[in-house]
Structure formats: structure tokens, C-alpha cells
Amino acid sequence: MAFVDHDLHIHSYLSPCAGEERYAQTLDRILFYAEDNGLGTVCVTDHFWDESVPGSSGMYEEQTYAHISSALPLPQSRNVRFLFGCEAEMDRYNTIAIAPEHYDRFDFIVIPTNHLHMSGFTCRGDEDAAERVRLWCERLDYVLEQDFPFEIIGIAHLTDTGIMAGKGYWDVLNRIPDEEYIRLFRKAADRGAGIELNFAWLNLPEDEMEVHLRPYRIAKEEGCRFYLGSDAHTPGKFGACYNASVMDTVGLPLYGW
Ligand SMILES: [Zn+2]
Ligand SMILES: [Zn+2]
């Protein structure tokens, strides 16, 4: 059984999308979660749009560096390495919301290539499954073609349900051929980008589980490295996320980060 010792995708109260509940997600509470679950490394990755990158809109107008860096200095403890990161958004024009001169402000940068639930911002909103397949592949490919410091780049929640409403995400992922996954994950492995393990696996029926596992298995075969990210926005989400047996289910090796 693999040992779960980190969580590199966590939101604090500085991310607005969890409503009132988010106010309980203080930095001290995240540190407590890490201590309580024996995690050696955690990273706070609030939603981010760098103010020097044009194109911010809606909630992102508030998600500046000044805003998310108000988390600093992070609380520390003897047992936990608490890192500072961000989830840098990617809009429908493939604008990635972090300026190169600011990469070094962060220990870790999560990029969500598949946030396709924000109609008018990250996508038009009326795309059918076939078009979302193309977007899933092209947006990931685009990120991997950039001149990023890939040793600190994580590709977020690739099988997230936000790809398409309802069970549409299932249809989208099923349509991606093995050959395309192989091409993309070979490139991710070559660049050294981290692939995030994150999906709601509890109580999933076997056929739906397979929709999630197929890309991660291929990523493993192509030599990708992985990290765990709960994407928890509230303390309540942590309880559902932490369970070491997920690694038995996924059967993937984890590399130190
Ligand atoms: Zn996300
Ligand atoms: Zn997130």
C-alpha cells in the first residue's frame, strides 16, 4: 500500500467558490488537517489570476496576488512542510493566468486544463461532447508546449466532472482514444509535469471508475509522475478525501515531491 504523505491542491477561505463554509478553511485549520492525518507536506493553492495578465473576469478580478498572498506567512509546525502555491486559471483563449516573471513567487502551480464549467469564460458553454473532447486534449497539449518550470507544475483533476454537466464528462472521457492519451501523457512525462490524482472514487460503480482509471493507468505506463490533491475548499471535504486505501484502488506509484 502506498503511503499518503502529502496534499498539494488545497483551497483556503481566500477562494470564494465554497460560499460561507469557506470561512472555516483557515490556514491553521489546513495545518491541523495535515497534522491530524500524518501528512508531511501540504500546499495551499487558491484560485489565481495574476493582475499582470489581461483577461481577468468575474470572481477572478478579486483573485490577485495581493489577495491570495495575504495567506502569508503560512503557519508552520515541526512535522509539516506547508507550501505556498496557486491554481492559475486558463480561459477559453488559452490564456494561462500567471506571468512568467512571477513563477518564482510560488512553490507549486496547479493548472486546471479542464475547467469547462465556466460558460463564457473558460469555454463558450454550448460545446457538445465531441468539441469538449477536442478542448480537453488541445488545452492539455497547449500547457505542455509552454516554457514552464515543469518541476513545480501540476495538472489538476484531469477527470473532473466539470468537463461536462451531469454524466457528460463520462461521455467525453470515453471518447478520447488510448492513442491520444498516450501521446499527451508521454509529453507530460517528458516535460516532467505532475499529474494530479483526484477524483471522487468512493462508491463509484465499476464502469464509471474505469472512465477515471484509464487515463491514469496510461499516464503511469508512459512514465508520468503523480501527486495527490484533495482540492478541498472546506474542512468538511477533508474527511471525505483522506483515505489511504485510495492508493490501493488506483494502484499508482507516488513520487516524492
Ligand atoms: Zn480546479
Ligand atoms: Zn482547485
Side-chain angles (χ1 to χ4, degrees):
M1 187 166 85
F3 177 57
V4 177
D5 69 347
H6 65 273
D7 184 342
L8 301 187
H9 184 167
I10 304 173
H11 294 267
S12 79
Y13 68 95
L14 296 167
S15 289
C17 34
E20 291 295 304
E21 261 190 274
R22 72 186 158 111
Y23 292 109
Q25 187 81 324
T26 62
L27 284 309
D28 285 330
R29 181 64 183 75
I30 294 170
L31 184 63
F32 172 79
Y33 153 76
E35 288 275 1
D36 199 37
N37 290 291
L39 303 182
T41 305
V42 288
C43 186
V44 63
T45 53
D46 281 309
H47 292 294
F48 179 53
W49 194 289
D50 192 326
E51 48 269 52
S52 56
V53 176
S56 181
S57 168
M59 83 167 198
Y60 279 105
E61 287 173 32
E62 305 288 320
Q63 298 305 114
T64 60
Y65 183 73
H67 179 65
I68 67 168
S69 68
S70 66
L72 299 173
L74 296 171
Q76 299 294 327
S77 79
R78 209 149 46 113
N79 304 318
V80 179
R81 190 166 59 126
F82 200 157
L83 305 178
F84 180 65
C86 66
E87 181 170 9
E89 189 54 84
M90 182 175 183
D91 74 7
R92 59 188 284 200
Y93 307 109
N94 287 354
T95 309
I96 301 167
I98 182 165
E101 64 270 26
H102 295 153
Y103 297 154
D104 63 2
R105 286 174 162 176
F106 300 97
D107 297 312
F108 195 57
I109 300 165
V110 171
I111 301 179
T113 57
N114 62 349
H115 272 177
L116 297 179
H117 58 286
M118 286 184 264
S119 298
F121 185 48
T122 55
C123 59
R124 290 192 319 274
D126 62 352
E127 294 88 346
D128 62 11
E131 193 170 358
R132 284 168 193 263
V133 168
R134 183 176 62 73
L135 288 174
W136 192 100
C137 298
E138 286 182 0
R139 287 162 59 93
L140 175 56
D141 199 31
Y142 182 83
V143 167
L144 296 174
E145 288 296 330
Q146 303 310 299
D147 187 21
F148 278 128
F150 279 106
E151 66 279 4
I152 59 161
I153 298 291
I155 309 295
H157 48 53
L158 278 168
T159 63
D160 189 74
T161 55
I163 296 167
M164 194 168 181
K167 284 279 191 264
Y169 85 96
W170 186 344
D171 186 23
V172 172
L173 293 172
N174 267 337
R175 289 175 187 232
I176 300 173
D178 279 2
E179 297 69 37
E180 185 64 353
Y181 277 147
I182 289 167
R183 183 183 75 80
L184 289 165
F185 286 124
R186 192 168 289 171
K187 192 180 281 193
D190 180 57
R191 301 291 188 271
I195 301 297
E196 181 173 300
L197 294 177
N198 171 345
F199 64 92
W201 60 278
L202 276 173
N203 305 318
L204 269 193
E206 209 171 305
D207 47 356
E208 191 168 357
M209 181 73 106
E210 189 51 34
V211 173
H212 290 275
L213 291 183
R214 185 170 64 98
Y216 295 122
R217 285 206 187 97
I218 291 173
K220 177 188 173 189
E221 279 160 23
E222 295 309 315
C224 286
R225 59 180 188 157
F226 300 92
Y227 67 96
L228 294 169
S230 65
D231 201 10
H233 287 62
T234 62
K237 283 280 189 285
F238 282 141
C241 291
Y242 182 77
N243 187 327
S245 65
V246 67
M247 287 293 92
D248 278 346
T249 311
V250 179
L252 292 168
L254 289 172
Y255 293 84
W257 204 276

